[in-house]
Structure formats: structure tokens, C-alpha cells
């Protein structure tokens, strides 16, 4: 990765390899540029309109492949890649390749040739010969007996395991082809044959099943497939896939399908990947393929989370358009083009003519009502009197507005404080009495008692003592009420930490004991549970190593 400083801006340079290895593009980007910037630039340079089917791929320092995320900045994704080399590839192979137009179809043709050449587009020798004949047709044109002599096909690299038998069949089919065929027809025929193959759009990922058998996992528009010895062993269609997850090195598929009895069945399948990063890459590829080909719009895409309790979680948010959005937009563009190509006379006949018979007064009224219905800025000048009685009186300048009484800030504070004190007093008096408020109440009673004795001296000592005892009884009642309210308030307090921490440790302990009991038990009741991918991953990646470590540790002590 190269970077240069000019006028205070950092510019990074990268190399993008196209589908032909000798074709490269030198691109530049800045630190704030996202992956969509680079893809848009390449598609614009190559004049590709269906850019959503393509992507940029790179290899990190750990030799793990990644697709460039279009919603994230480029520099954060490739900061450890040196030198920075990206590969422009077809990311989503369309279900109907003939819908691609222009240079997009040419790029798909080159991608399929590359897949056949590298062994990803696996097929029989007859199908490989038919595809090879079309490649020869595109490279050399129509068969010419004077020019095409000898083993002229051997100069082309057609398939991964190219043999003389394959070359002879390709030359034989090339001689039989009808001359004068256009290049677009050759592309369509090639793509049609490749589309009928089971390995169309498949990028094989090496995995192992629960028995340790070597398989290859492939993901395309129809679903997820497994291949063994070049043949498809399993196929899980997207409508049957309920959830996709991963746990460490284990790639897990949750299925929900209907059997012959029309009963919904649920099944879980797991595959072990070579490493955790490879498993995350497979999970992300599966999520992107599923969302691109199944969602109606990208707005329906939610944040997908992968990884479980024993692995680092990964979150992914799909960005870009889906295939349905691309098809609907292309259909709308086609309709608009047909509408624009319609003759002017037909458009004039179909359109409704404007009738200038409306009186000028009505037009002025309509125009005024339109403008009067819009809110006006307080900074603009008034537009004069309102002559339209249909307009709202709110925007009429002739109607007097109600005067607003100005309230000073001091008065507002006074009113607000009095209201606050009033509401606060009633709230406290109803639910909680403080010690200061209790003292204030006793002082008021004593003052009232003193004034009463001052004005009424005819009271006897018995009356005075009875009043004093009455006031003491009131004070004791207030104190009891305060203590009762404080005890009720303390009883209502709830500590989340004190309740959560013991519950959390209790649940963890119960789960740990249950897992150990299931893994160590030989009962047939837990046999189906032991074969779950999550339990297999837990046993061989965490439980078994921990068990061996503890055995060595305590064995050395005792």
C-alpha cells in the first residue's frame, strides 16, 4: 500500500486486478473513503451498470480472503495488507444471467471462464467440451480450415485438468458450429450452459462434517450445498434455512422444513472449518447471499449477529440493493423508455388537454389560496390584507391577534416557586415527613397553645394539662407515622445488583454442572444431545482441553 502527501491530504494507492490477470487498474483513495467509493469508480470506468452483482476481494496477512465491506472505510479494513492488491470479481451470480446487459454480461462471461479454468465450475468432460468450443469461438472466431490447423486449441487454457481428449472434442464442436454467430449470442449460450450446472456461482469452502469427512461447502442464489468428490451431496434451499450461526470453528445451519406429512420439522447441521477466521468468512458469505437473493428490499435487512457464548460475537449489517430491487428498477426504467419512445401524436391523444376557459378571477383565487395555505416566516414583510375568506384566519394579517401578556422572569420564578413548594409540601405531607417538618409542626402547636392561654385566662390548670397532653399525643403520633413511612420506604427499595449477581452465578453453576453431567454421562437419553454441533464444539474445543489441563495440574500436586 502506497501513500503520498500533497497539500496536507493523505492519498492511498492500490492495485485492482480485473478478471483477466493481465488487466489491472491503479486506483487512489483517501482515509475517509468507503468501499463503495472504490467499487463505484471501477464500475464507472468499465461502464458496468449492474454494479451490485460485483465486489472487491483481498487477502489479509493471515492468508484469509475477505470481501471489501462497502459501508466501512477502506483503510480500516486493509490496514495490515501490504502491498494492497484487490481483485474485482462477481460476488452474486444472478439467477437469470441473461438479464445482465452491456459490459456486465461480458464480465460475467469472463468470470465463468475463470471459474472453469480454476476448477470451481466443475462439470463433465462433455459439458467442458461444449463450454470450451464456445471459448474457442470467442477467441478465434468461426472455424477456418486454412487458419485453424493442427492442435490450435492447445494454446488456450480452457479447464483445470485439460487433456487431449477434451481439446479434440472442443475442436470437433467448434468445426460444427454455425458461422456468422454474433459475440452476444456466444455469451448467452455459454452462460446458459454454465447456469444449468450445479456448481454455478459456487466458491468452494473446505469443511468437515461430524464424521470427519472432507467436504466442500458452496453458496449461491438457490441455497447452501455440500460437495463430495465433485458431486453435490446435500442441498439446503433458502426457504428451508431458518438461521445461520457459527461457534468457534463450527459453521451451523438451522433448518425448518415440511415433510411429506406436511409437518414442520427442525434440524441442525454443523460443519467444521479449518480456522475461526475461515468460519466467520463462510458465515458472512452465507448471510450476504441469503439476504441479497431473498429480501424484497434492503430496508428489511436487520443487524445479523453470529457467534455464541464460547466465541467472539460478530455483527453484520447488509448494505446495498437486493436482486428484487435491481429487477424492479430495471423494469421501471424499461417502461419509462417505452413511454418516452411513444410517438408525440399518441401522447397528445392520450393526455388530457388543458382548458383555458377558467376565469381569471378563479385563477387568482386558486393561486392566492395556494399561497395562503403555506406558513409564512416571521422575518418576511406582510403581504397586505386578506381578500380570501376561505383562507385560514391564522395567516390573515387583518384579523387582530390576541395580545400576549408579558410576564417578568422574577414573577415567573415567584409563581413557579410557590407552586413547587405547594406541590412539594403536599407530596411530603402525604408520603414522607422529615424530622424538620415534625419539629415545625410541634412548634406551631406550642405557639397556638400559648396564644390561646394569653387570650383566654379563664382556663383552669386541668384544661391546660389536657391540652399539653393532647399536643404530646399528636407529636408521638407524627413520630410513629414518620417511622412507619421510613420502614415502608426502606422495604420498597430493591437492589438490582444484589438480586442479579447471585442469580447469575447460580445459573452459570447450574449450566456448568449440567454440561459436565451430559458430557460425562453414558446414558442413551443424552446421545442425541451430544451429537449437536454446539455440544461437539463445546466438548472438543473447551471441555476436553480444560479437563486435560486440570488433570495435569492436580496430578502434579498430588
Amino acid at each position: 500500500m502506497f501513500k503520498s502527501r500533497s497539500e496536507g491530504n493523505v492519498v492511498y494507492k492500490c492495485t485492482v486486478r480485473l478478471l483477466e490477470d493481465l488487466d489491472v487498474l491503479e486506483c487512489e483513495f483517501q482515509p475517509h473513503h468507503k468501499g463503495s467509493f472504490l467499487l463505484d469508480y471501477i464500475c464507472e470506468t468499465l461502464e458496468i451498470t449492474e454494479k451490485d452483482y460485483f465486489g472487491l476481494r483481498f487477502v489479509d496477512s493471515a492468508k484469509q480472503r475477505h470481501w471489501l465491506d462497502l459501508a466501512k472505510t477502506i483503510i480500516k479494513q486493509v490496514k495490515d495488507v501490504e502491498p494492497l492488491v484487490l481483485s474485482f470479481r462477481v460476488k452474486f451470480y444472478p439467477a437469470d444471467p441473461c438479464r445482465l446487459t452491456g459490459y456486465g454480461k461480458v464480465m460475467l462471461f469472463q468470470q465463468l471462464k475463470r471459474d472453469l479454468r480454476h476448477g470451481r465450475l466443475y462439470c463433465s468432460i462433455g459439458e467442458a467440451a461444449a463450454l470450451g468450443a464456445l471459448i474457442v469461438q470467442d477467441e478465434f472466431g468461426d472455424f477456418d480450415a486454412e487458419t485453424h490447423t493442427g492442435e490450435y486449441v492447445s494454446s488456450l487454457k480452457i479447464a483445470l485438468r485439460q487433456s487431449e481428449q477434451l481439446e479434440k472434442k472442443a475442436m470437433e464442436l467448434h468445426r460444427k458450429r454455425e458461422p456468422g454467430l454474433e459475440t452476444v449470442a456466444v455469451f448467452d449460450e455459454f452462460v446458459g450452459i454454465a447456469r444449468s450446472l450445479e456448481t454455478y456461482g459456487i466458491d468452494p469452502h473446505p469443511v468437515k462434517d461430524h464424521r470427519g469427512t472432507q467436504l466442500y461447502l458452496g453458496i449461491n442464489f438457490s441455497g447452501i450445498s455440500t460437495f463430495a468428490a465433485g458431486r453435490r451431496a446435500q442441498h439446503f434451499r433458502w426457504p428451508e434455512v431458518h438461521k445461520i450461526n457459527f461457534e468457534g470453528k463450527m459453521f451451523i445451519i438451522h433448518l425448518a422444513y415440511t415433510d411429506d406429512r406436511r409437518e414442520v420439522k427442525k434440524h441442525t447441521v454443523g460443519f467444521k472449518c479449518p480456522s475461526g477466521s475461515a468460519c466467520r468468512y463462510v458465515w458472512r458469505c452465507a448471510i450476504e447471499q441469503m439476504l441479497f437473493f431473498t429480501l424484497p428490499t434492503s430496508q428489511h435487512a436487520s443487524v445479523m449477529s453470529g457467534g455464541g457464548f464460547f466465541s467472539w460475537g460478530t455483527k453484520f449489517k447488509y448494505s446495498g440493493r437486493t436482486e428484487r430491487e435491481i429487477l424492479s428498477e430495471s423494469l421501471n426504467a424499461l417502461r419509462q423508455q417505452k413511454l418516452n419512445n411513444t410517438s408525440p401524436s399518441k401522447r397528445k391523444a392520450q393526455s388530457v388537454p388543458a382548458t383555458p376557459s377558467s376565469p381569471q378571477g378563479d385563477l387568482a383565487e386558486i393561486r392566492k389560496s395556494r399561497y395562503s395555505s403555506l406558513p409564512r416566516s416571521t422575518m418576511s414583510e406582510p403581504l397586505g390584507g386578506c381578500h380570501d375568506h376561505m383562507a385560514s384566519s391564522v395567516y390573515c394579517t387583518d384579523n387582530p391577534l390576541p395580545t400576549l401578556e408579558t410576564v417578568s422572569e422574577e414573577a415567573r420564578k415567584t409563581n413557579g416557586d410557590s407552586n413547587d413548594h405547594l406541590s412539594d409540601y403536599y407530596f411530603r405531607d402525604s408520603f414522607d415527613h422529615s424530622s424538620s417538618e415534625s419539629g415545625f409542626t410541634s412548634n406551631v402547636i406550642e405557639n397556638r397553645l400559648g396564644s390561646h392561654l394569653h387570650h383566654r385566662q379563664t382556663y383552669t390548670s386541668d384544661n391546660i394539662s389536657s391540652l399539653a397532653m393532647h399536643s404530646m399525643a399528636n407529636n408521638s403520633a407524627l413520630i410513629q407515622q414518620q417511622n412507619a413511612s421510613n420502614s415502608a420506604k426502606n422495604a420498597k427499595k430493591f437492589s438490582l445488583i444484589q438480586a442479579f449477581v447471585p442469580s447469575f452465578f447460580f445459573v452459570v453453576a447450574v449450566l456448568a454442572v449440567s454440561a459436565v453431567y451430559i458430557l460425562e454421562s453414558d446414558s442413551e437419553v443424552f446421545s442425541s444431545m451430544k451429537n449437536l454441533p454446539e455440544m461437539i464444539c463445546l466438548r472438543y474445543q473447551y471441555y476436553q482441553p480444560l479437563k486435560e489441563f486440570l488433570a495435569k495440574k492436580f496430578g502434579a500436586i498430588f
Side-chain angles (χ1 to χ4, degrees), residues 268-280:
T268 305
V269 184
F271 302 95
K272 188 176 182 180
C273 300
S275 62
S277 58
C279 189
R280 286 193 296 271

Side-chain angles (χ1 to χ4, degrees), residues 124 294 514:
S124 63
T294 57
S514 301

Side-chain angles (χ1 to χ4, degrees), residues 242-261:
H242 176 66
K243 183 182 177 182
I244 302 174
N245 200 359
F246 72 93
E247 177 69 39
K249 299 180 182 180
M250 190 70 65
F251 176 70
I252 305 169
I253 307 172
H254 300 270
L255 303 172
Y257 58 93
T258 306
D259 59 0
D260 298 336
R261 299 179 181 178

Side-chain angles (χ1 to χ4, degrees), residues 352-356:
V352 179
T355 56

Side-chain angles (χ1 to χ4, degrees), residues 19 46-51 53-54 90 94 97 100-111:
L19 292 167
L46 299 178
E47 299 180 357
I48 298 175
T49 56
E50 300 91 349
K51 62 180 181 180
Y53 290 100
F54 299 88
V90 176
L100 295 181
T101 58
Y103 205 71
K105 184 179 291 187
V106 177
M107 289 287 101
L108 180 60
F109 173 69
Q110 293 183 0
Q111 178 69 68

Side-chain angles (χ1 to χ4, degrees), residues 219-224 236-241 286 289-290 294:
I219 310 163
N220 62 359
F221 69 93
S222 61
I224 304 175
F236 311 112
R237 299 182 300 109
W238 290 129
E240 300 175 352
V241 178
Q289 294 282 337
M290 182 179 65
T294 57

